[in-house]
Amino acid sequence: MPEFRIVDKLQKIDVDIKSSQLKYHAKRVLVSKEFTFDAAHHLHNYEGKCKNLHGHTYRAILGISGYTDDRGLMIDFGEIKEMWKQIETYLDHHYINETLPPMNTTAENIVVWIYEKLHEALQKEQRYDGARVEFVKLYETPTSYAEARREWMEVE
């Protein structure tokens, strides 16, 4: 195992590495960011526990792909967070039967709504090379999730 060491000299742009070297490749890459939110809901036309008002700590995983810029960066994780904040205002600590469009608030419906909102936010930016939403996963419990994928959303 290598010994721990502190670097002797911090690398400097245009001294130790050229600006033209920052972009290592021209391939599509996927970046992903995960968020949690708490929300209450109940299901309509359903016989089971979920017909009653209850809450979840949801976990949303967003996957966005595109091409890197001259710095080797496709999208900053902080910019994904800013897009998420616009979506989260309808979800976190809300009774989502009231804040979402008229729908049965199943994980299957909510994940498509999140996908559509993220797609809209990404399209507004138009500054990321070839950027597109590849998937959204929405965990309703630690072991149960619904997923929306680009290839399903574009075709159907």
Side-chain angles (χ1 to χ4, degrees):
M1 181 194 261
E3 233 179 85
F4 174 79
R5 73 175 190 83
I6 297 174
V7 296
D8 298 322
K9 180 181 163 202
L10 192 61
Q11 194 179 63
K12 292 182 184 158
I13 191 78
D14 294 325
V15 174
D16 303 299
I17 185 171
K18 298 176 186 141
S19 294
S20 62
Q21 294 175 301
L22 297 178
K23 181 172 180 154
Y24 177 73
H25 64 86
K27 295 175 174 57
R28 179 175 288 278
V29 294
L30 182 132
V31 295
S32 183
K33 190 146 176 68
E34 187 174 315
F35 302 94
T36 60
F37 63 93
D38 296 298
H41 78 131
H42 70 94
L43 299 182
H44 299 285
N45 199 24
Y46 180 83
E47 288 306 316
K49 290 180 183 180
C50 294
K51 73 179 179 181
N52 298 315
L53 180 62
H54 64 286
H56 297 282
T57 297
Y58 290 91
R59 183 166 57 112
I61 304 172
L62 316 178
I64 300 172
S65 77
Y67 299 97
T68 59
D69 61 17
D70 292 340
R71 302 169 297 168
L73 188 69
M74 198 282 288
I75 188 171
D76 187 275
F77 290 113
E79 291 168 342
I80 299 173
K81 184 176 181 178
E82 289 304 312
M83 289 179 208
W84 172 253
K85 283 181 182 179
Q86 298 169 27
I87 298 167
E88 184 186 46
T89 60
Y90 296 92
L91 302 168
D92 193 35
H93 285 81
H94 285 290
Y95 170 49
I96 57 178
N97 292 66
E98 290 180 340
T99 58
L100 294 181
M103 69 170 80
N104 210 7
T105 53
T106 62
E108 297 90 335
N109 281 338
I110 299 167
V111 76
V112 169
W113 180 83
I114 292 171
Y115 179 98
E116 291 170 346
K117 290 297 178 191
L118 182 59
H119 177 78
E120 288 171 18
L122 197 56
Q123 295 309 303
K124 274 189 215 172
E125 293 296 322
Q126 292 191 359
R127 63 180 191 197
Y128 310 111
D129 187 12
R132 61 190 188 200
V133 180
E134 292 294 342
F135 71 86
V136 174
K137 285 186 180 182
L138 179 66
Y139 282 82
E140 191 172 270
T141 71
T143 59
S144 304
Y145 72 90
E147 183 171 358
R149 295 183 189 173
R150 179 184 52 81
E151 58 267 27
W152 302 335
M153 299 297 109
E154 289 180 357
V155 174
E156 301 172 309

